[in-house]
Amino acid sequence: MQNYLSNQNLTSYIFQADAIKKLAIITTHPIQYNAPFFKMLSERKRIAIKVFYTWSQSASGSKFDPGFKQDVEWNLPLFDGYEYTFVENIAAEPGSHHYRGINNPTLINEIQAWGATEILVYGWNFKSHWLAIRFFHNKLPVFFRGDSTLIDEKKGLKQLLRKIALKYVYSYVDTAFYAGIANKAYFKAMGLKEKQLVFMPHAIDNSRFAANDVNIAAGNELREALNIPADAVVFLFGGKMEKKKQPDFLIESFVSLKSNTAYLILAGSGKLEKTLKETYLYHPFIKFIGFKNQNQMPAVYNCCDVFVLPSKGPNETWGLAINEAMAAGKAIVASDKCGGSYDLIQNNKNGFVLKSGDNTSLSRVLAFFTNNKSEAAKMGESSFQIIKQYSFLKDCYAIENCFDVTGEKKNK
């Protein structure tokens, strides 16, 4: 048997190698929710990827998070298993909080030099991201990922003008990956057609938060450290302590229960933290545990029975903490201002969706769980089953299915 390639086979081999698609992913900085997805997408080898991080200052590690009011450096590996680069950012005031904070003159040239055949842009409202979308329009397929919704939309001239501007922006996008129901409605309102929309669920590393022996033991240890009895019902708030998320509203509803069998744990930091601690630090059934980094959060979720996110917005576009709590098998209570509530919560099955600011309904639901701990456990089991459908693997499929076996883009 010949141990070399014939001319015909060699030609076929070269064609197949050349046909491998190369997806350039443009995003501001590494985060714990995207890095594992990028790793999986790369390791599956259906397409080649390279991530172009545009907020180059993030390469140093920690950055100041205005929501948490402190420097944050996620203690999980954010660069393993995929190709990436930090593109020089020359912005006078670098950051992802304003349009001119992301300014990368070499971004387009670097993407071209790598040989990208498609681009995927996370967020358009940064100078370099928008310039890349416009430059590659009609040159390469332009994919877009964002999770905006119309939940906080207000009627008026300002909103009308914004909608006109956004329709112009999205006219440069070939395919948008939508996270859920509310996000899809937003894209449609901005002029994108059904055939341009692909479902790419908001996902987390479900296995990391699962109620396994290690996480359950860690959760029980945390309960003991907080002097919470094993038979108590524990409610959890996890996130930035800011007005948008309304931890103060949750505390007020909890206090109105006047229960001696329920506890409320608040994990996080932020602008409201000082005031809330001054008022409730010595309340016997309220526990402030401060900011917890990612490797500590599985224990935090696994020590509670019910996770509560009573946000009023604006811009609570999803609420990935809901995913994390569901992966830990917990019942969920969230407001209708959380974009993820429309997809993840089924009333009376794995929790409740409440109208934002409805104190009476929130107090009633807290009382229900306080008196029915077994129902919280049943709903938690349902949460775990539901969240299985929201995975990084599904996200990989969403991108890969935009290409056929020869690497050509499928009809949209």
Side-chain angles (χ1 to χ4, degrees):
M1 181 180 293
Q2 291 178 320
N3 59 0
Y4 58 88
L5 293 170
S6 68
N7 288 338
Q8 182 178 358
N9 288 337
L10 180 59
T11 300
S12 176
Y13 175 81
I14 292 173
F15 172 77
Q16 290 175 16
D18 289 344
I20 294 176
K21 291 298 182 176
K22 302 180 74 173
L23 178 66
I25 301 175
I26 303 172
T27 188
T28 53
H29 60 289
I31 62 173
Q32 73 277 19
Y33 297 118
N34 287 341
F37 163 56
F38 295 156
K39 179 181 179 182
M40 180 181 290
L41 186 61
S42 177
E43 291 179 345
R44 285 171 57 79
K45 299 186 184 301
R46 271 65 169 182
I47 57 175
I49 72 164
K50 183 173 182 178
V51 181
F52 293 79
Y53 287 118
T54 53
W55 181 4
S56 57
Q57 283 74 9
S58 296
S60 62
S62 66
K63 68 183 184 69
F64 182 77
D65 189 306
F68 284 121
K69 298 293 288 182
Q70 66 181 68
D71 288 330
V72 173
E73 181 175 1
W74 300 117
N75 55 11
L76 294 175
L78 299 181
F79 305 106
D80 290 354
Y82 65 95
E83 187 178 358
Y84 67 91
T85 186
F86 283 92
V87 186
E88 183 182 7
N89 182 11
I90 66 168
E93 184 187 345
S96 59
H97 58 291
H98 66 120
Y99 177 78
R100 297 187 181 278
I102 305 295
N103 185 3
N104 317 95
T106 65
L107 176 62
I108 290 171
N109 287 339
E110 289 188 37
I111 291 173
Q112 289 180 309
W114 182 65
T117 59
E118 284 83 17
I119 66 168
L120 168 59
V121 184
Y122 279 72
W124 64 268
N125 55 333
F126 310 111
K127 180 179 179 179
S128 290
H129 293 208
W130 172 230
L131 290 177
I133 289 172
R134 291 185 61 185
F135 177 84
F136 287 109
H137 178 60
N138 287 336
K139 296 183 179 72
L140 300 178
V142 176
F143 299 155
F144 182 81
R145 176 66 157 167
D147 59 3
S148 297
T149 73
L150 301 174
I151 292 174
D152 302 305
E153 185 179 36
K154 297 179 181 179
K155 304 297 182 182
L157 179 59
K158 183 177 180 180
Q159 184 62 32
L160 177 61
L161 294 175
R162 175 175 171 79
K163 187 173 182 180
I164 293 171
L166 287 173
K167 282 189 173 184
Y168 172 74
V169 168
Y170 288 115
S171 71
Y172 285 85
V173 171
D174 295 306
T175 300
F177 296 107
Y178 67 91
I181 294 170
N183 184 212
K184 184 178 184 180
Y186 165 84
F187 281 132
K188 282 193 167 184
M190 300 311 155
L192 291 171
K193 307 301 182 184
E194 181 73 30
K195 64 182 181 180
Q196 294 178 275
L197 301 175
V198 175
F199 179 47
M200 183 175 165
H202 253 326
I204 60 155
D205 184 355
N206 292 331
S207 62
R208 196 163 66 81
F209 297 92
N212 55 41
D213 291 344
V214 173
N215 286 342
I216 291 173
N220 289 337
E221 288 178 8
L222 179 57
R223 275 200 183 216
E224 292 177 8
L226 295 172
N227 295 315
I228 298 176
D231 60 348
V233 174
V234 177
F235 299 100
L236 171 67
F237 170 90
K240 297 173 182 178
M241 291 198 182
E242 56 187 1
K243 291 182 178 180
K244 180 175 83 172
K245 294 183 182 290
Q246 291 201 120
D248 50 344
F249 177 70
L250 172 58
I251 291 176
E252 291 169 5
S253 296
F254 176 79
V255 170
S256 71
L257 290 177
K258 299 180 180 178
S259 170
N260 59 4
T261 61
Y263 288 75
L264 173 61
I265 296 175
L266 296 107
S269 58
K271 293 181 179 179
L272 297 180
E273 182 181 15
K274 180 180 178 181
T275 300
L276 293 177
K277 280 187 174 181
E278 287 175 349
T279 306
Y280 299 104
L281 184 60
Y282 298 105
H283 191 289
F285 300 104
I286 297 177
K287 308 290 183 178
F288 293 90
I289 61 175
F291 172 81
K292 298 296 179 184
N293 215 313
Q294 282 296 298
N295 66 348
Q296 299 169 296
M297 287 307 296
V300 174
Y301 287 114
N302 277 275
C303 83
C304 81
D305 299 288
V306 182
F307 178 77
V308 188
L309 187 60
S311 300
K312 68 175 181 178
N315 298 320
E316 187 71 279
T317 54
W318 185 263
L320 281 165
I322 296 175
N323 294 59
E324 294 172 343
M326 289 177 66
K330 304 304 173 182
I332 308 295
V333 178
S335 80
D336 58 359
K337 291 291 186 177
C338 301
S341 66
Y342 297 87
D343 300 83
L344 298 178
I345 304 174
Q346 299 176 28
N347 278 315
N348 294 300
K349 182 175 182 180
N350 73 311
F352 298 95
V353 180
L354 306 179
K355 184 174 178 58
S356 176
D358 186 344
N359 181 275
T360 301
S361 293
L362 179 56
S363 297
R364 186 182 301 122
V365 167
L366 296 181
F368 168 79
F369 283 119
T370 298
N371 297 318
N372 296 276
K373 180 169 178 156
S374 61
E375 287 299 313
K378 290 179 182 177
M379 290 188 179
E381 292 174 4
S382 295
S383 284
F384 180 70
Q385 295 303 319
I386 292 169
I387 207 63
K388 285 181 180 180
Q389 302 304 313
Y390 292 76
S391 67
F392 290 139
L393 184 58
K394 289 287 183 70
D395 290 347
C396 289
Y397 290 158
I399 289 180
E400 293 165 358
N401 287 343
C402 288
F403 309 96
D404 65 23
V405 293
T406 64
E408 295 299 325
K409 208 160 156 290
K410 288 183 177 178
N411 293 330
K412 292 178 285 187

